[in-house]
Amino acid sequence: MDISFFGILSKILGSSGFAGLFSDPRQLIMILIACVLLYMGIKKKYEPLLLIPIAIGILFCNFPGTGILNPPTDGSSPGFMWVVYQGVQHAIYPSIIFMGIGAMTDFGPLISRPSSLLLGAAAQFGIFTAFLLALALGFDPRVAAAIGVIGGADGPTAILVASRLAEDYLPAIAIAAYSYMALIPMIQPPLMKLITTEKERKIEMKQMRTVSKTEKIIFPIAVMIFVVLLIPDTAPLIGMLMLGNLFRECGVTDRLSDTAQNALTNIVTIALGLSVGCKANAATFLSVETLMIIGLGLLAFMLSTIGGLVFGKIMCKLSGGKINPLIGSAGVSAVPMAARVSQVEGQKANPKNFLLMHAMGPNVAGVIGSAVAAGFMLKIFGM
Amino acid sequence: MIESLTVTQGLKIALYGFTTVFIMLAILMLIINVLSKLVEMMTPKKVEEPVKVEEKPVEKKTNIEYTGEIQLIDVDEKTAACIMAIISDETQIPLENLIFKKIRLLEDN
C-alpha cells in the first residue's frame, strides 16, 4: 500500500463537500442564499429567532455528502435532521409554539370587546384571495391552499398547513411568512393611509372595561370546546393555543406557563427553524414557483391588511365613529407587531391616540381566525 | 382528496371558507358576550364602603414646573406613548384623567 501525503490529501479532498459542490453548483447558490438570510437575521434583525436557524438548516442540507437528511434504512441510522424534521412532519412543533403563544397572550382586550373577533375574521381575506390567485396561476389546489395561509401572517400555522399540503414548498412558504411578518411596519402603513381618511385615523377610542379573572379562565376552555368540536382539524392549533392560555390564566400552573412561554418555545423554535431550512434543497427551492410563492405571499399579506381595514371602516360607521379603523389592520395575526403598527399610525394622526390595547383585541382574534381558516383548508384539501 | 379545481370551483371554496371563518368568529363573539353576562350575574356585587382619605399636604419633590406638556428625557415619543398607554390600562384610569409631567430613562448605574 502506497502511503503518501499527497495521496491522502487527494483522497480527503475527493470525498469532501468541496468536491461535491462541483457536481451540482446549485448547492453553492443555496449556500449563498443561506448567507443572505443570516445577514438579514443578524444585521437587519428580521425575525432573527427563526431566520438564523432556517439559514443554518439550509446550509446543513446543502453541504454535499453529509447524509443529514437520510431516512433510516436497513442497518443504518437516520440522519440527524431527518429525526428533527419528524416534529414538523407530524405537526408537533407548530402546535407547541402555539401553546407558547397562548401562554404569552392576554386575551383580555378581546374578551373586553368581543366584536374584535369580526376584525380578526375580516383580516383572513388575504388567505382566500391568494388561494384563488395561486389556483389561477396553475398551482395544485393543495399547494394553493398552503400559499394562501401565508396571508394569515401566522408562521406556525403556515408551516403546519404547508407540511401537510405542500411539503416541497415548505421552506419557501415559511420563509415568505416570517419575512413578511418582520416587514409589517413597512407593508401596512401605506395601505392604512390609502384606505382610511385623516379624520378616521384621528378617532380616539374609549377605555375598555376590566375583564375579571373568571372570564379569562373560562375563555380558553369555551373557545377550545366550541372551535375544536366544530372543526376538529383545528385541534392541534386551537387546542394547544388555549391550553397555553389556560396555563397562564388559571393561576395554579405558573411553572408550566413559564416553561411554555420561554424554555419550551425556545427549544422548539430552534428545531422548527432547522427543520424548515433543511427542506430547502436546490432542486425544489431554486424554481420559478418559489418566486411566485414569495410574490403571492406578499399579495396575501396586503389583501389581509386591506380586509381588516375595510371592515374596520364598516365598524367605524356602524358604531357612529367610536372605533378607529386603524385597529382593523391588526387583525392579521402577527402578535404584537401588527398592533404596534396601529398604535404608531394612530399616534401619528393624533398624538393623544392610544390604540395599542384596542388593537390587541383584533390581533389575538387574528390568531384564532387564521387557525380556523387553516383548519378549513386542511378539512377540504387534507383528506 | 381534491386533485384539481377550476377557478370557479376555487372561488366557491374561497367564499365558503371566508364565510365559515366569519360565522365561526361571530358565534364565538356571541359566546363570549353570553359568558361575560353570566359571570357578571354570578359575581356578587361588592358594597363599596366610603373610604376615609386623610388629606396630606403634597410635598414638592421636584422643582420642575409643569407647563402642560410632557418632558421627555432620553425617551422617544413612541416609547413614551406605550408607557402612558400601559399605565392607563393597568390603573384603569382613562388617559384624559392622567397627567404625565416627565418620563426619563434611568441609567443602570
Side-chain angles (χ1 to χ4, degrees), chain A residues 114-115 117-118 121-122 124-125 128 131-132 135 140-142 207-210 212 215 218-219 222-223 226-227 230 311 343-344 347 354 357 368-369 373 376 380-381 383, chain B residues 1-7 10-11 13-14 16-18 20-22 24-29 31-33 35-36 39 77-78 81-82 84-85 88-89 92-95:
Chain A
S115 58
L117 278 158
L118 298 179
Q124 308 313 314
F125 179 64
F128 297 101
F131 156 71
L132 212 54
L135 207 60
D140 177 272
R142 290 161 62 87
Q207 188 80 16
M208 291 187 287
R209 74 172 175 88
T210 314
S212 70
E215 284 174 272
I218 294 173
F219 175 79
V223 171
F226 171 70
V227 178
L230 204 62
F311 203 79
Q343 158 74 16
V344 170
Q347 207 146 55
F354 297 99
M357 291 315 285
I368 301 173
F376 176 85
I380 300 292
F381 298 105
M383 297 294 188
Chain B
M1 192 194 293
I2 297 172
E3 292 292 342
S4 64
L5 275 180
T6 63
V7 176
L11 184 65
I13 288 179
Y16 296 156
F18 195 43
T20 305
V21 174
F22 243 103
M24 287 277 292
L25 296 197
I27 297 172
L28 259 183
M29 183 180 86
I31 291 173
I32 295 170
N33 273 322
L35 285 174
S36 296
V39 170
E77 284 185 1
K78 189 176 149 189
C82 288
M84 291 189 280
S88 167
D89 185 66
Q92 296 298 315
I93 300 170
L95 268 168

Side-chain angles (χ1 to χ4, degrees), chain A residues 164-333:
Chain A
R164 296 258 181 100
L165 303 180
E167 204 186 338
D168 285 346
Y169 298 99
L170 172 63
I173 289 171
I175 290 168
Y178 279 104
S179 304
Y180 295 138
M181 278 164 69
L183 293 173
I184 275 185
M186 280 176 252
I187 297 171
Q188 286 196 325
L191 294 169
M192 292 160 115
K193 282 175 190 151
L194 189 75
I195 290 168
T196 58
T197 63
E198 180 80 18
K199 193 182 163 193
E200 285 170 336
R201 289 196 292 274
K202 281 184 174 171
I203 293 174
E204 285 178 47
M205 291 178 71
K206 276 188 184 169
Q207 188 80 16
M208 291 187 287
R209 74 172 175 88
T210 314
V211 176
S212 70
K213 192 76 188 160
T214 316
E215 284 174 272
K216 285 188 175 181
I217 295 171
I218 294 173
F219 175 79
I221 303 167
V223 171
M224 191 194 300
I225 292 172
F226 171 70
V227 178
V228 178
L229 277 181
L230 204 62
I231 305 181
D233 291 73
T234 58
L237 293 179
I238 294 288
M240 294 300 275
L241 179 76
M242 293 303 150
L243 171 66
N245 192 247
L246 191 60
F247 283 159
R248 174 197 171 94
E249 301 296 353
C250 70
V252 290
T253 51
D254 287 350
R255 277 165 53 196
L256 300 187
S257 172
D258 178 53
T259 305
Q261 284 183 46
N262 301 297
L264 187 58
T265 298
N266 289 342
I267 293 166
V268 174
T269 301
I270 297 170
L272 182 72
L274 284 173
S275 304
V276 168
C278 79
K279 292 302 279 184
N281 61 55
T284 54
F285 196 82
L286 294 179
S287 62
V288 182
E289 281 85 358
T290 300
L291 291 176
M292 286 164 83
I293 287 169
I294 288 167
L296 281 166
L298 177 63
L299 208 62
F301 226 86
M302 292 167 76
L303 288 167
S304 284
T305 303
I306 291 170
L309 286 168
V310 169
F311 203 79
K313 280 173 82 86
I314 294 170
M315 284 179 73
C316 176
K317 291 265 182 239
L318 292 177
S319 65
K322 287 179 185 162
I323 290 176
N324 189 320
L326 286 181
I327 66 166
S329 64
V332 298
S333 56

